[in-house]
Amino acid sequence: MGANSAHAVEKDDAVFHLPGHPLPALVTLNSTDGSGVDLFMLSLRRPVLLNLFAMPVRSGQVDLGAAAQHESAQQLRAVNAELDALRQEMPDVAVLGLSLHEPECLRRVRDELQLRFELLSDRQRAWTDRLELPLQRWDDGSMALRRCTMLLVEGQVSRLDFPLRQPTEVGRRAVELLRRETGAM
């Protein structure tokens, strides 16, 4: 993907405001490893590659049977498959996923998909709403994050990749995003 396509991504109405946007401070998100993560503080210490995703939900729980075949599962697997390449491109990068699901649901997703990175829960949408992240409405009326990859550096959104129409390409595109960032430094 060349510079023109990266520029076009940033012009999408749903994310036009995000490049250079400061991150919300003092918002702690629950991680699947049981810790709390403040993405603003973490991004001050090291770059953060954040993958926004949503899984199908049934009765308030992630439907793991449907989730395993869902596009977001393909997205997370694609990132997982490129984890070594991501860390080779940017050795100190923290790779995380973000969803509006409960932490327990996300732990099951992480374990079922055998992910080598943690997932964060923004169930109350404190972080999502402050950044005005792109949302979609499910058939049951609930809201979910739209697929997006964001690079968070020094307390702000440095780069992003949106929309992500081919979930199996998300990992490769994330490597390219990091490559563009390291080339710009």
Side-chain angles (χ1 to χ4, degrees), residues 4-21:
N4 289 341
S5 57
H7 182 68
V9 166
E10 293 174 359
K11 285 190 170 193
D12 188 293
D13 289 345
V15 296
F16 185 79
H17 65 288
L18 288 173
H21 196 293

Side-chain angles (χ1 to χ4, degrees), residues 37-142:
V37 175
D38 179 332
L39 289 169
F40 174 80
M41 295 302 294
L42 181 59
S43 76
L44 292 177
R45 293 190 304 272
R46 61 194 285 204
V48 177
L49 186 72
L50 186 65
N51 292 278
L52 282 57
F53 71 97
M55 292 285 188
V57 175
R58 182 177 297 155
S59 304
Q61 298 292 317
V62 172
D63 181 350
L64 287 176
Q69 302 306 317
H70 193 266
E71 289 180 346
S72 289
Q74 295 172 15
Q75 170 190 349
L76 293 171
R77 283 188 187 111
V79 172
N80 202 50
E82 295 291 343
L83 200 55
D84 293 336
L86 291 165
R87 292 190 173 136
Q88 184 175 2
E89 194 63 46
M90 191 176 280
D92 58 341
V93 70
V95 177
L96 298 165
L98 177 71
S99 178
L100 302 181
H101 300 300
E102 295 286 347
E104 183 54 40
C105 291
L106 295 176
R107 270 190 284 283
R108 292 195 337 263
V109 168
R110 179 201 60 195
D111 295 347
E112 178 76 18
L113 299 178
Q114 299 179 343
L115 301 177
R116 298 180 292 149
F117 58 92
E118 300 301 327
L119 306 176
L120 304 177
S121 171
D122 189 14
R123 184 72 185 135
Q124 303 305 315
R125 290 182 25 190
W127 203 79
T128 297
D129 288 349
R130 286 189 188 164
L131 272 179
E132 298 177 32
L133 295 178
L135 296 170
Q136 63 186 355
R137 185 174 301 278
W138 291 111
D139 291 340
D140 66 2
S142 64

Side-chain angles (χ1 to χ4, degrees), residues 134-155:
L135 296 170
Q136 63 186 355
R137 185 174 301 278
W138 291 111
D139 291 340
D140 66 2
S142 64
M143 299 299 285
L145 291 168
R146 290 176 59 194
R147 280 194 305 276
C148 179
T149 300
M150 302 170 65
L151 182 61
L152 314 176
V153 178
E154 297 178 358

